[in-house]
């Protein structure tokens, strides 16, 4: 998976990734989508939206391994990412004003 671009939305960085098995689409992490929408606990909030709407969101999400910086070290973690259509579905089900 490679970083395609980084965009700034309302002073929040959104990294758009390209996965080898996804054509003509980008992927964004659950954490960043939640930050864009203004959630205090972004990953938990998006996880709850996904759980309530799994029938719609499962097909737009995937689990990947990503390197993340935690403190002073880099670790590999399982991260859930969403396609652009998944991001739109999350916004649809979010009750945040920014959605």
């Amino acid at each position: 998976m490679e970083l395609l671009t980084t965009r700034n939305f309302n002073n929040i960085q959104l990294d758009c990734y390209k996965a080898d098995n996804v054509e003509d689409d980008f992927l964004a992490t659950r954490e960043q989508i939640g930050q864009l929408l203004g959630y205090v606990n972004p990953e938990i909030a998006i996880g709850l939206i996904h759980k309530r709407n799994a029938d719609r969101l499962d097909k737009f999400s995937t689990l990947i391994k990503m390197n993340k910086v935690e403190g002073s070290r880099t670790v590999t973690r399982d991260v859930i990412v969403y396609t652009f259509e998944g991001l739109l579905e999350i916004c649809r089900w979010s009750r945040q004003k920014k959605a």
Side-chain angles (χ1 to χ4, degrees):
M1 188 160 86
E2 71 177 274
L3 180 64
L4 284 176
T5 187
T6 299
R7 300 284 185 196
N8 188 352
F9 295 96
N10 295 324
N11 295 322
I12 296 173
Q13 177 179 312
L14 176 66
D15 295 328
C16 300
Y17 296 94
K18 174 75 174 142
D20 297 333
N21 61 345
V22 179
E23 285 195 36
D24 299 328
D25 208 347
F26 73 87
L27 301 171
T29 67
R30 186 179 267 186
E31 176 76 23
Q32 288 186 318
I33 294 169
Q35 289 174 354
L36 287 174
L37 293 173
Y39 285 105
V40 175
N41 295 308
E43 196 155 338
I44 292 170
I46 302 305
L48 291 172
I49 290 171
H50 189 134
K51 186 176 180 179
R52 286 191 307 264
N53 302 285
D55 58 323
R56 295 286 300 164
L57 289 170
D58 281 352
K59 62 185 170 190
F60 302 123
S61 66
T62 191
L63 183 69
I64 60 167
K65 294 202 180 289
M66 287 184 77
N67 292 327
K68 294 177 75 174
V69 176
E70 294 179 0
S72 61
R73 63 191 183 123
T74 301
V75 295
T76 301
R77 298 277 186 232
D78 288 336
V79 177
I80 296 176
V81 292
Y82 295 90
T83 62
F84 179 69
E85 196 164 345
L87 184 149
L88 293 178
E89 283 291 320
I90 289 168
C91 289
R92 176 179 175 197
W93 298 109
S94 172
R95 294 186 179 107
Q96 298 294 92
K97 289 181 180 181
K98 291 181 178 182

